[in-house]
């Protein structure tokens, strides 16, 4: 199920266009809204556990390990 998310801060994400291409960095501005399928998980960092998600966008691109604090769900 796709959800509308809004980025709460300006951030760089590693964007995968296709498995044949290398990752590209994309600057996403605060307030940007996108439709995404969200696969959440927790990673262990030096500061403790961190909730992140892989985001799969409607256009076929994806971004991996995006912290939940960078985006929120829109109604």
């Amino acid at each position: 199920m796709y959800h509308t998310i809004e980025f709460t801060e300006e951030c760089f994400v590693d964007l995968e266009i296709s498995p044949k291409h290398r990752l590209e960095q994309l600057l996403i501005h605060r307030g940007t809204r996108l439709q995404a399928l969200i696969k959440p998980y927790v990673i262990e960092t030096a500061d403790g556990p961190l909730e992140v998600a892989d985001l799969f966008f409607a256009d076929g691109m994806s971004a991996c390990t995006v912290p939940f604090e960078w985006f929120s769900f829109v109604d």
Side-chain angles (χ1 to χ4, degrees), residues 59-73:
D59 61 4
M61 291 189 254
S62 62
C64 297
T65 321
V66 179
F68 263 85
E69 62 191 26
W70 290 3
F71 66 90
S72 63
F73 292 92

Side-chain angles (χ1 to χ4, degrees), residues 5-13 28-32 38 40-43 45 47-55 65-73:
I5 59 172
E6 181 175 332
F7 284 83
T8 56
E9 57 186 78
E10 197 166 327
C11 57
F12 281 98
V13 297
I28 298 180
H29 296 284
R30 182 178 187 201
T32 299
I38 299 166
Y41 55 99
V42 176
I43 60 172
T45 68
D47 297 326
L50 178 65
E51 293 179 304
V52 297
D54 292 343
L55 305 176
T65 321
V66 179
F68 263 85
E69 62 191 26
W70 290 3
F71 66 90
S72 63
F73 292 92

Side-chain angles (χ1 to χ4, degrees), residues 1-4 35-39 56 73:
M1 176 179 190
Y2 283 89
H3 300 277
T4 302
Q35 293 282 319
L37 179 71
I38 299 166
K39 300 279 184 164
F56 299 92
F73 292 92

